[in-house]
Amino acid sequence: MTGHPAIPEVTDDDIAWISDIMGLDDLDVDRKAFLKRSETFDVSACPGSGKTTLVVAKLAILARKWQHATSGICVLSHTNVAREEIQNRLGHTPVGHRLLHYPHFIDTIHTFANRFLALPYLRSNGYPSPLIDDDVAKAFRWNVLQVQERWKFENWLKNKHTSIDEITFCDSDLSVALTSRDFPTAAHTATYQRAQKILLESAAAGHFRYEEMFVWAECLVQEYPEVAASLSRRFPLVLIDEMQDTSQRQAALLASIFDRANGPSVVQRVGDPNQEIFKSGQEQNTADPFPDVGEGRTMSIANSRRFGPAIATLANPLAVISLDGDGLQGSGPQRAAEFSGHSSNLIIVFPDNNTDGVLEAFGTHILEKFEDDTLAIGDCFAVGGVHRPAQEAIGPGHGKFPRSVEHYWAEYSPEMSKPDQHPKTLVGYVHHAQNMIRASEDTAEGIAHFATGLKRLTRQIGQPASALERTRKHRAIRGVLAPAPESLESYDAFVRTFLITMTPMTEELWLGYVPQFRELAGNLCQGDANHNAGDSFLAWEEPQANAVELEGPQEHSENVVKVTSGDREVCIRLGSIHQVKGQTHFATLLLSTFQNQHSSEKIVHWLTVGKSSGTGEGIQNVTRLKQSYVALTRPTHLVAVALRNSAIAKDRTKAMAMLHAQGWEIRDLCP
């Protein structure tokens, strides 16, 4: 396309400038090549390679030299890590401010699809203010049916191993599906038609799940092909981060807009296919596979600055896709680099029916190997691939034991592993907002969170004023309430009392505010409002049920085990592998859990280097290997793996010798 905006060239001087601004260490050849490349290409970046920092550095250089007033850089991912990194590292600079504003767009793939495609399509088809929220959509769909009809329908679904919460659609005709598979009966049946009724009424009310918005995004692109050309000109450079977690549907949509083969936009995709743990085999991206197989269109960064050679050597065999050259390399840790730790990485062998000593062995080992000053560098975690309890009773002696993280510590609560971002009640938003403010010492984010909750209440009693669709909900609410000074003062007074002065919220106080919030929500509606609606959302809820103290990253006492030795102690935080992806730990213990098979028994041959890569493995074991690879590449100093005795029982002596030969230290808990 002639006249398409050009991408600025990145020079050595630019790299020196951003290195000084961001305090980057000497960049090697591969990292400089990533910063300089201006054509369409893919980069596979290993764990701890500083991928997000490199992305931000590249964006800063380009934004500094950007000459186009109405065309910008589009950065897409599954989280807002890149945006947060820009705010943290460059927020005080003019170039950081420039990046976070028009014409550039840095946000999630979901937000991109909604803002530029799905929401315009829905609004032009009679949905002026659709609400995208999984919890709200599921709650609405649950209440579509009458009690008796709903009870029968839910029992039928239960017998099919699913529920109303799983009902969704994948096409614009609202044909019924489940979130993980096809609906279990044909379209002509009364059961199917009952399910479709739920979807039709939900759509008519404007309630959609997050993933359903891709259906409407696809509709706009299909019905108006010129949209793709417009977006390509709007964004001459598209950078997609965490590409390995992009689903088939997401990849196909992006490929239909930004054609990497023939389109005018430059598309640069960054990720690590070995860390693809958020998709099932049915969700694999075959529409536009990553990384590209085209010659010269792929580069890799295989050197990690998170951990040293010892951890790299132990994790490398579990990489499903072998890394180029010598495989995964380690040049870290960046702090306390003098510690090699080759002989300190740990295998804990425990009896099949007894996990009691596993966490204690891990903690004791840490205390033996490190001084307190070194331990202060980071957190210690124990993680498993399965962390939610099963419906069936599983205990010692059961064939699936240990199935999940709770079998290593009975007090483990999966709900406490991270703060609830979508409280079920308005007072839950208040509790969570107060915790956010305590953690960050910044009221803005907490007030914005509470304002989002108030909009959800407004949605439940009527049609929110169109101004509430703005991103800045607090400002939008104050704007809508401005013509009603008493209501505005009431809202401001509540914010001052509970989110600035931080007065603790009690049940008695809350019940006194409920009528006031009904009135406020009514004033935020356009047209008539049912002030008696929203009872469940306005109910009282104890703080512990909805929000947890945010004292540090995942620092929740409910999921912390303390191991002591003499007068010293170490805290071990428990969680799932999925929750810690992207994190850096001081030490990480991979727990054996059960999903079709015991994970330790399926990966032990990669730990002894009897096998490497995922070639020839089925999808279930490929998934295990990817999860194990993610866990083993979190720590800077120490990695540990808990193995069921059955994993090595066939030839214990040989297995122990092979593990020792790879540099593992072994603690055998078996009698």
Side-chain angles (χ1 to χ4, degrees):
M1 181 185 293
T2 57
H4 200 68
I7 310 299
E9 178 187 4
V10 176
T11 67
D12 288 333
D13 288 342
D14 294 324
I15 294 174
W17 167 77
I18 195 59
S19 295
D20 181 58
I21 292 291
M22 295 181 64
L24 303 180
D25 294 332
D26 292 338
L27 299 174
D28 58 22
V29 173
D30 290 337
R31 289 172 171 82
K32 287 182 178 179
F34 168 76
L35 294 176
K36 288 184 175 182
R37 291 187 70 161
S38 59
E39 73 278 13
T40 291
F41 77 104
D42 289 346
V43 56
S44 294
C46 74
S49 60
K51 172 175 61 65
T52 301
T53 300
L54 283 173
V55 167
V56 170
K58 181 164 188 164
L59 292 174
I61 292 171
L62 294 174
R64 184 185 184 213
K65 305 176 80 170
W66 202 258
Q67 299 296 317
H68 314 293
T70 58
S71 296
I73 305 167
C74 180
V75 183
L76 304 177
S77 186
H78 301 275
T79 66
N80 265 321
V81 171
R83 188 177 189 88
E84 291 164 3
E85 183 84 351
I86 291 169
Q87 291 170 331
N88 292 336
R89 302 288 290 272
L90 300 171
H92 62 290
T93 66
V95 72
H97 180 80
R98 209 173 302 153
L99 271 171
L100 296 173
H101 293 83
Y102 182 88
H104 307 301
F105 180 85
I106 303 174
D107 218 309
T108 65
I109 295 173
H110 283 83
T111 301
F112 173 85
N114 288 346
R115 182 174 301 181
F116 294 104
L117 303 168
L119 288 175
Y121 182 85
L122 286 171
R123 287 168 180 154
S124 66
N125 283 276
Y127 302 95
S129 185
L131 175 64
I132 308 103
D133 188 299
D134 279 12
D135 291 334
V136 172
K138 287 189 289 187
F140 182 92
R141 292 169 189 182
W142 173 263
N143 290 309
V144 165
L145 303 177
Q146 297 299 315
V147 175
Q148 190 69 15
E149 183 183 23
R150 184 174 67 211
W151 179 80
K152 290 180 179 179
F153 186 47
E154 187 69 8
N155 277 339
W156 183 89
L157 290 169
K158 186 176 181 180
N159 289 332
K160 301 293 182 180
H161 307 289
T162 186
S163 70
I164 290 177
D165 286 351
E166 300 299 310
I167 291 176
T168 187
F169 60 89
C170 299
D171 299 295
S172 59
D173 62 359
L174 301 184
S175 53
V176 185
L178 299 176
T179 53
S180 59
R181 56 192 170 99
D182 294 337
F183 194 73
T185 190
H188 67 275
T189 65
T191 305
Y192 181 97
Q193 291 166 13
R194 189 174 288 120
Q196 191 160 55
K197 174 185 175 182
I198 291 171
L199 293 177
L200 289 169
E201 293 202 20
S202 177
H207 296 313
F208 300 106
R209 301 170 69 120
Y210 295 112
E211 289 301 316
E212 291 167 354
M213 297 300 284
F214 286 99
V215 172
W216 310 122
E218 291 163 355
C219 286
L220 185 68
V221 174
Q222 291 164 4
E223 294 180 24
Y224 302 95
E226 61 272 22
V227 168
S230 176
L231 284 172
S232 289
R233 183 166 185 83
R234 171 76 169 78
F235 299 114
L237 173 61
V238 181
L239 200 155
I240 306 173
D241 196 10
E242 300 293 351
M243 184 64 199
Q244 76 280 350
D245 291 325
T246 303
S247 70
Q248 170 92 345
R249 183 157 225 152
Q250 293 166 354
L253 176 66
L254 294 175
S256 70
I257 301 167
F258 305 113
D259 184 350
R260 293 192 312 116
N262 304 304
S265 294
V266 170
V267 182
Q268 299 182 350
R269 308 187 300 179
V270 184
D272 183 358
N274 288 313
Q275 296 188 74
E276 181 190 60
I277 64 172
F278 286 99
K279 303 200 299 284
S280 69
Q282 290 72 36
E283 296 173 321
Q284 298 300 305
N285 167 25
T286 57
D288 195 12
F290 173 83
D292 201 325
V293 295
E295 185 176 352
R297 284 166 60 100
T298 300
M299 64 173 292
S300 63
I301 301 175
N303 183 279
S304 175
R305 295 179 174 178
R306 175 180 294 156
F307 43 76
I311 291 178
T313 298
L314 297 175
N316 185 58
L318 289 95
V320 170
I321 300 174
S322 298
L323 283 75
D324 294 339
D326 297 325
L328 180 63
Q329 303 295 304
S331 59
Q334 292 177 306
R335 290 180 289 180
E338 70 280 0
F339 175 79
S340 68
H342 181 74
S343 62
S344 295
N345 295 306
L346 181 67
I347 294 285
I348 303 170
V349 182
F350 63 93
D352 292 358
N353 63 352
N354 187 357
T355 61
D356 288 350
V358 172
L359 296 176
E360 184 178 359
F362 179 51
T364 301
H365 184 79
I366 292 171
L367 291 171
E368 289 175 355
K369 300 296 180 180
F370 302 98
E371 299 296 329
D372 288 343
D373 289 347
T374 309
L375 280 175
I377 290 174
D379 294 325
C380 301
F381 276 78
V383 297
V386 179
H387 83 128
R388 293 190 177 277
Q391 293 182 351
E392 61 180 317
I394 296 175
H398 192 290
K400 296 180 181 178
F401 184 86
R403 179 189 171 274
S404 64
V405 174
E406 68 167 348
H407 287 143
Y408 294 85
W409 192 53
E411 297 179 51
Y412 178 74
S413 170
E415 301 306 323
M416 290 295 104
S417 294
K418 60 180 180 178
D420 184 2
Q421 299 294 329
H422 301 286
K424 305 299 188 293
T425 63
L426 183 58
V427 73
Y429 277 88
V430 177
H431 295 324
H432 191 205
Q434 288 187 334
N435 284 325
M436 293 167 72
I437 293 167
R438 289 190 192 102
S440 65
E441 299 182 355
D442 181 359
T443 60
E445 188 177 0
I447 292 173
H449 185 69
F450 166 69
T452 298
L454 185 55
K455 186 202 167 182
R456 284 185 65 179
L457 173 63
T458 305
R459 169 76 63 177
Q460 294 190 20
I461 73 169
Q463 179 68 36
S466 58
L468 295 190
E469 297 309 311
R470 296 172 186 163
T471 304
R472 297 180 178 180
K473 296 291 186 291
H474 172 61
R475 181 180 295 183
I477 287 172
R478 297 195 77 257
V480 174
L481 294 178
E486 290 184 4
S487 293
L488 177 59
E489 173 53 30
S490 175
Y491 172 77
D492 285 344
F494 184 89
V495 170
R496 284 195 302 271
T497 302
F498 295 99
L499 302 180
I500 296 177
T501 307
M502 295 289 284
T503 301
M505 178 60 75
T506 65
E507 182 175 7
E508 184 179 3
L509 281 173
W510 178 252
L511 294 177
Y513 275 102
V514 166
Q516 180 177 313
F517 278 116
R518 291 189 193 277
E519 191 69 27
L520 275 176
N523 289 337
L524 292 171
C525 290
Q526 51 186 350
D528 295 333
N530 178 6
H531 288 77
N532 294 320
D535 285 346
S536 60
F537 193 63
L538 284 166
W540 166 255
E541 194 167 9
E542 293 291 337
Q544 297 86 343
N546 230 325
V548 290
E549 292 296 330
L550 307 178
E551 299 169 2
Q554 298 203 17
E555 191 167 348
H556 313 321
S557 59
E558 293 86 350
N559 284 336
V560 173
V561 176
K562 293 182 179 180
V563 176
T564 60
S565 178
D567 60 352
R568 300 176 64 215
E569 72 174 21
V570 61
C571 293
I572 302 170
R573 312 184 192 287
L574 277 66
S576 75
I577 295 172
H578 290 78
Q579 289 164 355
V580 301
K581 181 177 178 291
Q583 294 183 8
T584 296
H585 306 160
F586 178 84
T588 309
L589 167 63
L590 172 60
L591 301 170
S592 179
T593 57
F594 186 94
Q595 182 70 38
N596 300 308
Q597 299 286 338
H598 288 285
S599 60
S600 61
E601 295 174 20
K602 300 301 290 186
I603 68 167
V604 67
H605 295 299
W606 281 262
L607 301 177
T608 60
V609 197
K611 290 186 176 183
S612 64
S613 84
T615 304
E617 296 297 315
I619 186 63
Q620 291 181 353
N621 216 37
V622 165
T623 298
R624 287 188 198 96
L625 290 171
K626 288 180 177 179
Q627 291 181 358
S628 301
Y629 182 81
V630 167
L632 267 61
T633 54
R634 295 311 93 205
T636 56
H637 285 69
L638 173 69
V639 67
V641 180
L643 296 181
R644 288 177 95 235
N645 185 54
S646 295
I648 61 171
K650 287 185 179 179
D651 194 338
R652 240 172 165 269
T653 303
K654 180 180 178 181
M656 292 281 199
M658 294 177 71
L659 290 168
H660 274 301
Q662 295 307 313
W664 292 103
E665 186 170 325
I666 299 175
R667 293 211 175 191
D668 190 355
L669 305 182
C670 296

